[in-house]
Amino acid sequence: QKEVEQNSGPLSVPEGAIASLNCTYSDRGSQSFFWYRQYSGKSPELIMSIYSNGDKEDGRFTAQLNKASQYVSLLIRDSQPSDSATYLCAVLYSTLTFGKGTMLLVSP
Amino acid sequence: KAGVTQTPRYLIKTRGQQVTLSCSPISGHRSVSWYQQTPGQGLQFLFEYFSETQRNKGNFPGRFSGRQFSNSRSEMNVSTLELGDSALYLCASRVNTEAFFGQGTRLTVV
């Protein structure tokens, strides 16, 4: 069974802080990794994809991948209340497999 | 460019009935996947279609079925509905590795 694990949270951070979201996966052969953001009552929205070891930055978001440790993370700098959502980690095996998500709460 | 369109957005059905949900992918995307999302189980994969062929199937009973048409539009059907089928059903359209979701269909079984 290919799995993706995330802490359910909630992760609470004050406005302006860095939020760090983590994810581990079970299959060493995986090559494609994604972060989705899901607001309450809405569908998941793709915010980052990463395919090689290291960091990938896009605005306030940085995805980090460590294939040796089977670990993916998402950093959100200068967190805003509008970042409050559930963040889903996804790994592409033969199908796209999701973790159960980490709820992030950013307080003003 | 239009996104993924799912219809209907909301449905209320009675136990034992059947339901058909529709998904129109992003133009040019030939892969369509369906997911069930519930608070306890998260996003669970139902099946994936590519060029009218089922490419992968998740661990759901045979009451859940799907198909894809030549224009890449996809439908999923759930027969003999149970209370536990109440969920958000999401369709994702994929090109290469990146998948994009529709707004979902909220199914409530009473």
Side-chain angles (χ1 to χ4, degrees), chain A residues 10-11 26 35 37 40-41 51 53 63 70 80 84 89 91 100:
Chain A
L11 172 66
S26 62
W35 284 98
R37 177 177 62 199
S40 180
Y51 305 100
N53 279 330
Q70 295 173 239
Q80 300 296 310
S84 298
C89 174
V91 179
K100 292 189 176 180

Short mmCIF file of all heavy atoms in Angstrom, two decimals, chain A residues 10-11 26 35 37 40-41 51 53 63 70 80 84 89 91 100:
data_model
loop_
_atom_site.label_atom_id
_atom_site.label_comp_id
_atom_site.label_asym_id
_atom_site.label_seq_id
_atom_site.Cartn_x
_atom_site.Cartn_y
_atom_site.Cartn_z
N PRO A 10 -4.50 21.03 14.05
CA PRO A 10 -4.11 22.23 13.30
C PRO A 10 -2.75 22.77 13.69
O PRO A 10 -2.32 22.62 14.81
CB PRO A 10 -5.22 23.22 13.64
CG PRO A 10 -5.70 22.80 14.99
CD PRO A 10 -5.55 21.30 15.03
N LEU A 11 -2.11 23.37 12.70
CA LEU A 11 -0.89 24.10 12.91
C LEU A 11 -1.26 25.57 13.02
O LEU A 11 -1.82 26.13 12.08
CB LEU A 11 0.07 23.88 11.74
CG LEU A 11 1.34 24.72 11.72
CD1 LEU A 11 2.23 24.34 12.91
CD2 LEU A 11 2.09 24.54 10.40
N SER A 26 5.83 6.67 1.13
CA SER A 26 6.35 5.32 1.36
C SER A 26 7.15 4.75 0.19
O SER A 26 7.97 3.85 0.39
CB SER A 26 5.19 4.38 1.69
OG SER A 26 4.29 4.31 0.61
N TRP A 35 1.79 19.98 -3.76
CA TRP A 35 1.05 20.56 -2.64
C TRP A 35 -0.20 21.22 -3.17
O TRP A 35 -0.15 22.00 -4.14
CB TRP A 35 1.90 21.58 -1.88
CG TRP A 35 2.94 20.96 -1.01
CD1 TRP A 35 4.25 20.78 -1.30
CD2 TRP A 35 2.73 20.42 0.30
NE1 TRP A 35 4.89 20.16 -0.25
CE2 TRP A 35 3.99 19.93 0.75
CE3 TRP A 35 1.62 20.30 1.15
CZ2 TRP A 35 4.16 19.33 2.00
CZ3 TRP A 35 1.80 19.71 2.39
CH2 TRP A 35 3.05 19.24 2.80
N ARG A 37 -3.82 23.30 -1.86
CA ARG A 37 -4.48 24.07 -0.80
C ARG A 37 -5.98 23.90 -0.96
O ARG A 37 -6.51 24.02 -2.07
CB ARG A 37 -4.11 25.55 -0.91
CG ARG A 37 -4.79 26.47 0.09
CD ARG A 37 -4.27 27.90 -0.09
NE ARG A 37 -4.57 28.42 -1.41
CZ ARG A 37 -3.95 29.47 -1.95
NH1 ARG A 37 -2.98 30.10 -1.28
NH2 ARG A 37 -4.29 29.89 -3.15
N SER A 40 -12.11 25.59 3.18
CA SER A 40 -13.29 24.89 3.66
C SER A 40 -14.43 25.00 2.65
O SER A 40 -14.78 26.11 2.21
CB SER A 40 -13.72 25.46 5.01
OG SER A 40 -14.86 24.78 5.49
N GLY A 41 -14.98 23.88 2.26
CA GLY A 41 -16.10 23.87 1.33
C GLY A 41 -15.72 24.02 -0.13
O GLY A 41 -16.59 24.06 -1.00
N TYR A 51 9.92 18.07 -8.42
CA TYR A 51 10.30 16.80 -9.02
C TYR A 51 11.73 16.37 -8.67
O TYR A 51 12.09 15.21 -8.84
CB TYR A 51 10.18 16.88 -10.54
CG TYR A 51 8.80 17.32 -10.99
CD1 TYR A 51 8.55 18.63 -11.38
CD2 TYR A 51 7.74 16.41 -11.03
CE1 TYR A 51 7.29 19.03 -11.79
CE2 TYR A 51 6.48 16.80 -11.44
CZ TYR A 51 6.26 18.12 -11.82
OH TYR A 51 5.01 18.51 -12.23
N ASN A 53 15.35 16.82 -6.00
CA ASN A 53 15.81 17.16 -4.65
C ASN A 53 16.17 18.64 -4.55
O ASN A 53 16.69 19.24 -5.48
CB ASN A 53 17.03 16.33 -4.27
CG ASN A 53 16.68 14.94 -3.80
OD1 ASN A 53 15.61 14.72 -3.23
ND2 ASN A 53 17.56 13.99 -4.06
N ALA A 63 8.76 24.82 -1.73
CA ALA A 63 8.64 23.38 -1.56
C ALA A 63 10.04 22.80 -1.44
O ALA A 63 10.97 23.25 -2.13
CB ALA A 63 7.90 22.76 -2.73
N GLN A 70 12.63 10.51 1.93
CA GLN A 70 11.23 10.35 1.51
C GLN A 70 10.36 11.39 2.21
O GLN A 70 9.35 11.06 2.85
CB GLN A 70 10.78 8.91 1.79
CG GLN A 70 11.53 7.92 0.93
CD GLN A 70 11.23 6.48 1.27
OE1 GLN A 70 12.14 5.72 1.61
NE2 GLN A 70 9.99 6.08 1.19
N GLN A 80 -0.32 34.77 6.06
CA GLN A 80 -1.44 35.69 6.14
C GLN A 80 -2.69 34.93 6.59
O GLN A 80 -2.81 33.72 6.33
CB GLN A 80 -1.70 36.31 4.77
CG GLN A 80 -0.52 37.09 4.22
CD GLN A 80 -0.19 38.30 5.09
OE1 GLN A 80 -1.09 39.09 5.42
NE2 GLN A 80 1.07 38.42 5.47
N SER A 84 -5.02 30.48 5.79
CA SER A 84 -5.70 29.49 6.63
C SER A 84 -6.51 28.56 5.74
O SER A 84 -7.45 28.99 5.05
CB SER A 84 -6.61 30.17 7.66
OG SER A 84 -5.86 30.99 8.53
N CYS A 89 -0.72 17.13 0.73
CA CYS A 89 0.47 16.65 0.04
C CYS A 89 0.03 15.51 -0.88
O CYS A 89 -0.78 14.66 -0.47
CB CYS A 89 1.47 16.16 1.07
SG CYS A 89 2.95 15.36 0.41
N VAL A 91 1.42 12.60 -3.94
CA VAL A 91 2.54 11.92 -4.60
C VAL A 91 1.99 11.13 -5.78
O VAL A 91 0.97 10.43 -5.64
CB VAL A 91 3.25 10.97 -3.62
CG1 VAL A 91 4.40 10.25 -4.31
CG2 VAL A 91 3.75 11.75 -2.40
N LYS A 100 -3.88 13.05 4.20
CA LYS A 100 -5.17 13.51 4.71
C LYS A 100 -5.19 15.02 4.97
O LYS A 100 -6.24 15.57 5.28
CB LYS A 100 -5.56 12.73 5.96
CG LYS A 100 -5.87 11.28 5.64
CD LYS A 100 -6.48 10.54 6.82
CE LYS A 100 -6.85 9.12 6.40
NZ LYS A 100 -7.46 8.35 7.50
#
